[in-house]
Amino acid sequence: SLWALHFSLVKLVDADQNPFSILIPLLLILCILFFCILKLSNKLFKFTYKKLLFFIIAGTFAYIIPLSVEFLVAPKIDAGILTLIVSSVPVFTLLLVWTLRLIKVNLRLILGTFSGLIGISLIVLGNNNNSLNLWLIASIIVPLSFAFNAVFMEKYWPSNLNSLQMAFGECLTSLIFILFLNLLVKGNLTNNIIEYVEWLFIPNFWFLTFITFLEVSLYFFLLNRIGAVFINIG
């Protein structure tokens, strides 16, 4: 339910002109929320070089790549179609874990996953109002990125971190990385502060932020317990 609502809100905020402008305040608020929870529960942790590298890779494929693509393609295609395309995540996840031999893949899992993919394809390709175009093809980057992220995090999850600590670390490193990219591209972040602050006065932005917070929290909680394949099928 959160997954579906997330993509509807991404379409409503209409940030295709500059995806980074919304990612910065969104990730900043997520960082503040996770920091406050960890501080109150006395679960703050130290960043090591190994953890930092882990979070940079995870954050790139969890936030920077998929969210940038989402904001770019969302205004061009229906939210329902985008959600259906991203629902192909379990197929790519299954292929990755099969290739890396992380789990034993049986015939029932293969048939169930690919029958779902066929159903999604029939809806996407059979919609008269949404013929296959470059925006639909570009949106496939999102499930590819999510699939890689889930498999990577399950395989290399630091043993001494819980789900909320993982969520905070990924959000923080992603925020720092995006700020650095913006600095390289635009040269001066202060010139864009107004653009970032403007999102704080848009109700749909706050709905998106709250839903993303719940979605990320639940995702890490389940990923740590049932694994990448089964959470992505869900």
Side-chain angles (χ1 to χ4, degrees):
S1 299
L2 292 172
W3 189 256
L5 185 55
H6 168 88
F7 286 102
S8 298
L9 290 170
V10 165
K11 184 173 180 64
L12 286 175
V13 295
D14 193 10
D16 62 314
Q17 296 300 320
N18 184 5
F20 281 3
S21 71
I22 189 173
L23 279 175
I24 289 174
L26 174 64
L27 287 171
L28 176 61
I29 295 171
L30 290 178
C31 286
I32 293 172
L33 290 173
F34 284 123
F35 176 84
C36 291
I37 293 174
L38 292 176
K39 182 68 175 178
L40 291 173
S41 59
N42 198 27
K43 293 290 180 66
L44 288 174
F45 63 97
K46 292 182 179 180
F47 281 86
T48 62
Y49 288 114
K50 189 175 181 180
K51 287 178 182 175
L52 187 60
L53 178 61
F54 170 84
F55 284 127
I56 288 174
I57 296 174
T60 298
F61 288 94
Y63 290 103
I64 298 170
I65 293 177
L67 287 180
S68 296
V69 174
E70 283 176 30
F71 288 124
L72 284 172
V73 304
K76 310 298 191 302
I77 59 180
D78 288 347
I81 298 298
L82 177 59
T83 307
L84 286 169
I85 291 173
V86 178
S87 295
S88 61
V89 168
V91 176
F92 298 112
T93 307
L94 184 62
L95 292 174
L96 281 171
V97 297
W98 197 356
T99 303
L100 298 173
R101 301 181 183 276
L102 297 179
I103 66 169
K104 183 178 180 181
V105 180
N106 56 48
L107 181 61
R108 184 172 62 179
L109 187 60
I110 295 172
L111 292 176
T113 304
F114 279 94
S115 64
L117 179 62
I118 292 170
I120 294 167
S121 301
L122 289 173
I123 295 174
V124 172
L125 297 176
N127 191 317
N128 294 327
N129 297 322
N130 292 277
S131 58
L132 190 62
N133 55 44
L134 292 177
W135 296 112
L136 287 173
I137 296 173
S139 65
I140 297 175
I141 296 173
V142 179
L144 276 168
S145 182
F146 282 141
F148 178 83
N149 176 68
V151 174
F152 172 79
M153 296 199 71
E154 179 184 355
K155 186 171 178 59
Y156 298 105
W157 185 298
S159 58
N160 58 336
L161 295 184
N162 62 31
S163 56
L164 289 177
Q165 289 171 324
M166 290 283 283
F168 173 66
E170 194 175 76
C171 285
L172 182 60
T173 51
S174 298
L175 174 62
I176 294 171
F177 190 57
I178 289 178
L179 287 171
F180 179 70
L181 283 178
N182 251 12
L183 185 62
L184 287 178
V185 173
K186 297 190 176 182
N188 192 345
L189 287 176
T190 56
N191 295 333
N192 304 307
I193 291 178
I194 296 177
E195 188 178 10
Y196 305 144
V197 173
E198 285 177 346
W199 288 108
L200 303 180
F201 299 94
I202 300 175
N204 283 333
F205 167 81
W206 287 102
F207 292 144
L208 175 62
T209 302
F210 179 68
I211 292 302
T212 304
F213 172 75
L214 294 178
E215 184 183 6
V216 171
S217 301
L218 183 59
Y219 178 83
F220 280 107
F221 177 82
L222 293 174
L223 179 62
N224 193 30
R225 285 160 176 77
I226 61 175
V229 171
F230 294 100
I231 189 176
N232 283 339
I233 288 175

